Amino acid sequence: MLKSLHISPDKCTGCLQCELACSYENEGVFNPAKSRIKVFTFHQEGRFVPYTCTQCDEAWCMQACPVDAIVVNTATGSKDVLADVCVGCKVCTIACPFGTVNYSQDTGKVIKCDLCGGNPQCVEACPTAAITYVDADATGLDRMRAWAGKTDNAATARA
Amino acid sequence: MHHVIIGAGPAGVVAAEHLRKLDANCRISLIGDEPEPPYSRMALPYLLIDKIDEAGTYLRKSDGHYDRIGVEVRNDLVVSVSTSDRQLMLGGGGKVDYDKLLIATGARPTKPPIAGTDLAGVHSCWTLADARQIAEHTKPGAKVILMGAGFIGCIILEALASRGVELTVIEMEDRMVPRMMNHSSAGLIKSWCERKGVSVLTSMRVAAIQQDTGAHPLSVQLEGGASHPADLVICATGVAPNTELLQGTGITIDQGVLVNEHLQTSDANVFAAGDVAQGKDFSTGEYSVQAIQPTAVEHGRVAATNMASGHDMVHAGCINMNVLDTMGLVSASFGAWEGVANGESAELNDPGNYRYLNLQFEDDVLVGANSLGLTQHVGVLRGLIQSRFHLGHWKDKLLNNPTQIMEAYMAAAQGIGKA
Ligand SMILES: Cc1cc2nc3c(=O)[nH]c(=O)nc-3n(C[C@H](O)[C@H](O)[C@H](O)COP(=O)(O)OP(=O)(O)OC[C@H]3O[C@@H](n4cnc5c(N)ncnc54)[C@H](O)[C@@H]3O)c2cc1C
């Protein structure tokens, strides 16, 4: 059974441990600016909302890639960037309607959440279980995707 | 069922793969006239800066990919099509019968109507063969003139500049990327390039290119009388769709091969996708040639779905979008970035830091955007445009501070702070 990140914004306190853990695991530095998960603050509503890639089925990023540099990790279901193949053209960063693929000017490549290969460090670091890694059963995954918001599929399918 | 695809670029390859996904048993032929394995034109600039080798431009990287998914790749030129016999004539003399046909022949570069564009030393940058020529003639210090600062011109600009040549860009319109960025942001791109040592002449036309017997083999004459010596001239002044093979078929051709919401041409068995196709634009509802990679891929997928038996997909249209890196300055455009009648706009203009963001609204819906100097979460601009979310009071927040696009998206998608 594939697992997916499950985010409960109501439990998030805005401590940013997830961002620190993510940047350390993936970039080797404690620097929220390099994190693949990002906590957004809604001051007026007093809410914090962690946000990252949902590993969506449409995989807009993967489809748009002109050089086959984004692939499905069959073990976790994540869409992973192959850094040695990525040319840094950034087309995936405008194709992803969730805004979760970002270009790094330091490396000249794009970065996105890869679920840390199946052991997501944001989950480990979260002190309030606002981010959990759970079985991607229909409810969990659907809720996750509903949470990330509908992206009106560019085309409407009728089977 | 024999599906035949003409053109082995991104549109053709994605269509072939998608057809296979939908139908395990059909026969799929992919016919392309370029000698290399299917590759991506978009990757050419990265070949020119030696970030990748030629194999790095290939659309698919695993050995035997096409064999494995049962797609017959054939290297030949399709000369003509007979829709009544459902048959193609090949340059090599053969014929191929089809049940369903996809035209994915892309576009080719055009040259401006001036003297001298056929001289040796004047090149387009469109194919792997072009890239090899350019690499050979752009030794450090060479004088290079780039004609055209549209999207493709600007994409190559960076690659040329980083090869250490002395670069002059000549654009006839009043700004760089005039069909992608507004005046303010395009002005920043120009000043950035100039600061990096590239000379940029806008509102300037080339009158002729001549041979020269001096230290440099070419001389580029500008309107108004000035002339520039050059070792190499690169022409990026526009492209035209490859539609010749459809002559005599009666298939409707306007700016490109006209397709309906099913990516179907005026002949029910013939579809078109990518740079050759004039398809629906999500923002305007009109039919136009977008000539960008994301559209080629989306067209390929939708066309394949409608070619496969038992499937039907209505296409809502592609959002025109571009992302450009001019020597480290990243800019992007989405949808109706020029705005719509009676619309409103929000702008952040920080020229000192080369940061710019312009949002265009119709009522409380985002319909277009230009961004410059932003690399984080830009895709959400597409998300907001495509989902047509009503932003409610978040629109006012964006009018105040357009950088809060992620928050606005999440608020709309998750109902946070709904008034
Ligand atoms: C240097 C460069 C940089 C670019 N950068 C970007 C970018 O950053 N972002 C972006 O969105 N787009 C970019 N583009 C544009 C992008 O590459 C095209 O939109 C894309 O290639 C279109 O794909 P396609 O499959 O429709 O056509 P193509 O890639 O042109 O493929 C069509 C194929 O069909 C073949 N063909 C044509 N006629 C025949 C025939 N009669 N018989 C057999 N074969 C035939 C052609 O030779 C070609 O191989 C760039 C283009 C260039 C040249």
Side-chain angles (χ1 to χ4, degrees):
Chain A
M1 165 76 75
L2 290 184
K3 296 174 97 179
S4 71
L5 287 178
H6 185 253
I7 292 178
S8 312
D10 51 315
K11 294 186 186 157
C12 177
T13 62
C15 72
L16 305 190
Q17 290 300 317
C18 55
E19 294 190 2
L20 293 171
C22 176
S23 62
Y24 186 68
E25 168 74 13
N26 295 296
E27 309 294 328
V29 286
F30 289 108
N31 180 356
K34 296 190 171 185
S35 173
R36 297 155 189 210
I37 188 165
K38 189 100 198 108
V39 178
F40 289 89
T41 309
F42 292 79
H43 291 290
Q44 254 169 341
E45 295 77 19
R47 286 190 74 175
F48 301 99
V49 184
Y51 189 85
T52 190
C53 172
T54 66
Q55 317 298 342
C56 70
D57 286 337
E58 290 84 0
W60 308 90
C61 59
M62 187 170 90
Q63 292 193 29
C65 179
V67 293
D68 221 8
I70 303 181
V71 295
V72 180
N73 180 325
T74 46
T76 64
S78 63
K79 315 305 184 285
D80 296 356
V81 177
L82 303 176
D84 55 335
V85 182
C86 173
V87 295
C89 77
K90 310 167 197 70
V91 163
C92 56
T93 71
I94 60 169
C96 168
F98 304 106
T100 50
V101 190
N102 293 317
Y103 177 66
S104 160
Q105 280 186 307
D106 294 349
T107 58
K109 315 263 174 182
V110 296
I111 51 179
K112 71 177 289 296
C113 172
D114 61 1
L115 297 174
C116 297
N119 183 20
Q121 291 302 300
C122 53
V123 172
E124 299 289 313
C126 180
T128 59
I131 313 167
T132 49
Y133 192 46
V134 296
D135 281 348
D137 57 56
T139 20
L141 207 60
D142 284 352
R143 235 187 297 142
M144 174 75 182
R145 302 226 161 113
W147 165 82
K150 91 174 187 257
T151 43
D152 207 9
N153 208 325
T156 37
R158 279 178 289 166
Chain B
M1 178 66 92
H2 188 196
H3 294 288
V4 177
I5 300 168
I6 313 177
V13 165
V14 167
E17 292 170 344
H18 206 68
L19 274 167
R20 178 53 77 226
K21 256 188 228 154
L22 297 174
D23 182 348
N25 301 314
C26 64
R27 181 170 169 216
I28 305 170
S29 299
L30 180 62
I31 309 174
D33 64 344
E34 291 189 76
E36 301 85 3
Y39 70 91
S40 211
R41 307 202 183 292
M42 272 198 66
L44 297 178
Y46 306 95
L47 176 68
L48 285 175
I49 61 172
D50 296 324
K51 195 168 184 173
I52 49 171
D53 57 11
E54 283 201 11
T57 69
Y58 297 167
L59 273 156
R60 297 296 176 251
K61 296 293 193 287
S62 62
D63 280 340
H65 171 75
Y66 300 96
D67 283 346
R68 196 164 46 248
I69 62 169
V71 170
E72 299 165 37
V73 182
R74 195 161 168 166
N75 183 211
D76 212 330
L77 173 77
V78 176
V79 186
S80 63
V81 176
S82 163
T83 47
S84 48
D85 299 335
R86 281 195 268 139
Q87 193 175 60
L88 312 179
M89 268 49 77
L90 301 179
K95 294 180 177 175
V96 177
D97 294 324
Y98 68 85
D99 293 304
K100 293 273 158 81
L101 179 67
L102 178 66
I103 311 294
T105 49
R108 62 169 180 286
T110 56
K111 291 194 167 164
I114 56 167
T117 54
D118 47 4
L119 289 172
V122 182
H123 291 278
S124 300
C125 181
W126 194 252
T127 60
L128 267 174
D130 293 336
R132 287 178 206 124
Q133 290 282 326
I134 292 170
E136 193 179 319
H137 292 102
T138 45
K139 302 286 180 255
K143 284 188 191 298
V144 177
I145 305 255
L146 173 60
M147 283 170 62
F151 177 62
I152 299 290
C154 284
I155 286 259
I156 356 181
L157 184 156
E158 152 132 14
L160 292 171
S162 61
R163 291 185 69 85
V165 303
E166 215 178 285
L167 184 61
T168 303
V169 182
I170 299 167
E171 167 60 47
M172 66 179 189
E173 295 204 37
D174 63 359
R175 63 186 194 274
M176 297 173 83
V177 275
R179 278 168 301 283
M180 169 180 165
M181 301 300 286
N182 65 16
H183 278 94
S184 309
S185 47
L188 288 174
I189 297 177
K190 180 177 174 182
S191 89
W192 176 276
C193 290
E194 288 172 336
R195 273 184 23 174
K196 299 264 171 180
V198 175
S199 150
V200 183
L201 308 176
T202 44
S203 302
M204 179 58 77
R205 281 169 189 267
V206 173
I209 307 168
Q210 289 166 356
Q211 239 156 352
D212 199 286
T213 46
H216 305 279
L218 297 170
S219 164
V220 175
Q221 314 289 318
L222 303 184
E223 278 184 1
S227 77
H228 285 259
D231 297 301
L232 179 73
V233 175
I234 307 223
C235 208
T237 49
V239 298
N242 292 320
T243 59
E244 293 68 21
L245 73 169
L246 296 180
Q247 256 168 27
T249 59
I251 288 175
T252 309
I253 295 169
D254 180 24
Q255 295 162 32
V257 180
L258 192 64
V259 291
N260 63 17
E261 287 177 320
H262 299 262
L263 277 298
Q264 195 171 34
T265 69
S266 55
D267 181 306
N269 295 313
V270 182
F271 296 74
D275 280 10
V276 75
Q278 180 177 349
K280 190 171 177 182
D281 181 298
F282 178 89
S283 302
T284 62
E286 317 255 302
Y287 287 76
S288 58
V289 175
Q290 291 183 341
I292 52 171
Q293 173 86 12
T295 296
V297 169
E298 195 166 315
H299 277 181
R301 198 168 45 90
V302 177
T305 308
N306 288 317
M307 288 166 77
S309 33
H311 294 268
D312 178 24
M313 190 184 239
V314 180
H315 185 226
C318 288
I319 297 179
N320 208 350
M321 53 187 179
N322 286 118
V323 59
L324 176 67
D325 191 336
T326 31
M327 312 174 83
L329 184 62
V330 178
S331 52
S333 77
F334 297 86
W337 57 269
E338 291 173 287
V340 292
N342 303 317
E344 275 183 273
S345 67
E347 185 176 70
L348 167 125
N349 191 1
D350 180 4
N353 293 306
Y354 286 93
R355 266 167 65 89
Y356 182 85
L357 182 60
N358 182 289
L359 308 179
Q360 295 289 340
F361 301 95
E362 182 167 23
D363 296 324
D364 63 346
V365 175
L366 186 77
V367 293
N370 269 162
S371 78
L372 182 108
L374 304 178
T375 54
Q376 301 298 300
H377 313 300
V378 277
V380 85
L381 292 166
R382 177 200 185 164
L384 280 167
I385 294 169
Q386 188 166 303
S387 59
R388 295 196 166 114
F389 277 141
H390 287 282
L391 292 164
H393 73 284
W394 272 93
K395 181 182 128 188
D396 302 318
K397 294 194 185 186
L398 289 175
L399 289 175
N400 261 327
N401 179 4
T403 64
Q404 288 202 302
I405 42 174
M406 274 304 280
E407 288 84 350
Y409 176 80
M410 293 163 76
Q414 303 178 27
I416 297 170
K418 273 250 160 78

